[in-house]
Every structure is written in structure tokens, then in C-alpha cells.
Amino acid sequence: MAQELYSVEQVANRLGLHVRTIRNYVRDGRLKAVRIGKQYRISREDLEAFTGTTAAVVDVDSSARHVEASSIVHIDAVDRATADRIGTHIDGALNRPEADGLKAETIYDDERAVLKVIVLGSLPATADLLRLINLLADQ
């Protein structure tokens, strides 16, 4: 049966650490590894002993990474008409092609005259919508 060996990069990805940190662990003797040529390889058993868990190292394809933002905007001293106007502009912004799957919900509290906007989406689309909300709130 072949022994599973992982690269320093694979272990770093699995543990969420920098490659240099893993190399330092190996050099300090905290993590057992074998040197093959100029590269270190860590066995599955040694990684499990180091982490105290079972090791399932998966190569992470960072090109497939998806980053999203979640934001809550609180605007106080807003009357119902202003809240409706801001909500209409937000709805319009969500229907543009640049919205890129952006989602937003508006909630207005009549008693406290507070508008809350919950925004979920990609970083660029969220940033654009937050700029729009800022402009509308300042009017």
C-alpha cells in the first residue's frame, strides 16, 4: 500500500497557514517530514498526529474562489416617503446587468423612523450599491 505524502503547500492550504509557517514547523521538528530533493513531504499519519485529526488534504483552486459581502445599512431620521424613494432606487440598481447577482432587502420601522438595508453580493457590486445608498441618504 502506497503511503500518502503531501506537499508543504497542500498542508498549508489544509490548515489555513502560510507555507513558511509549515516549513518552520518542519525545521523546528514540530511536524515530521521527509525531504525529497529540495522539497519536504509530510505523510498523512504525521499530519494527523500533528493536528490531532484525520487529514483529508484537498488542493484548493483559488481561481474558483467566490468572495461575497454581507452588509447592513442603518439610516435613521427617515420618513416613509424617503424610505420608499431609497427602496425604489435600490430595486432599480438590482435590475441592472452590473448587479452581478446582488441581493438587497429594505425594512422600514415607522415608529423609530429607521430604514435598514441588507445587502448580499460580490464585493464590487456591493460597493457600488453602498455608494448609491450613501448618495441617497445624504439628500
Side-chain angles (χ1 to χ4, degrees):
M1 177 168 32
Q3 184 180 29
E4 288 184 64
L5 296 175
Y6 304 115
S7 70
V8 171
E9 291 80 13
Q10 288 174 313
V11 172
N13 283 337
R14 167 72 170 101
L15 299 179
L17 298 171
H18 196 278
V19 172
R20 274 189 246 152
T21 304
I22 300 302
R23 284 194 192 111
N24 287 338
Y25 287 162
V26 169
R27 288 184 190 123
D28 294 345
R30 293 172 61 186
L31 175 59
K32 289 174 76 177
V34 293
R35 193 170 177 115
I36 301 174
K38 294 182 178 184
Q39 303 283 320
Y40 288 113
R41 293 290 183 254
I42 296 110
S43 72
R44 179 186 188 105
E45 294 79 18
D46 290 333
L47 180 58
E48 288 174 351
F50 178 75
T51 61
T53 61
T54 58
V57 176
V58 178
D59 278 327
V60 176
D61 179 10
S62 62
S63 67
R65 183 175 295 140
H66 181 74
V67 179
E68 278 194 348
S70 302
S71 305
I72 299 176
V73 180
H74 173 99
I75 307 168
D76 58 7
V78 177
D79 61 12
R80 170 57 84 177
T82 303
D84 289 343
R85 183 176 55 81
I86 291 172
T88 300
H89 283 283
I90 290 171
D91 287 342
L94 296 176
N95 290 322
R96 299 184 60 182
E98 304 86 46
D100 190 30
L102 187 65
K103 293 179 176 57
E105 291 286 329
T106 57
I107 303 159
Y108 182 67
D109 183 344
D110 281 312
E111 291 177 17
R112 297 183 348 195
V114 170
L115 175 65
K116 295 237 184 199
V117 183
I118 302 166
V119 182
L120 305 167
S122 70
L123 297 180
T126 299
D128 288 343
L129 185 59
L130 292 176
R131 277 192 283 279
L132 173 66
I133 293 168
N134 186 49
L135 287 171
L136 295 168
D138 284 344
Q139 292 180 352

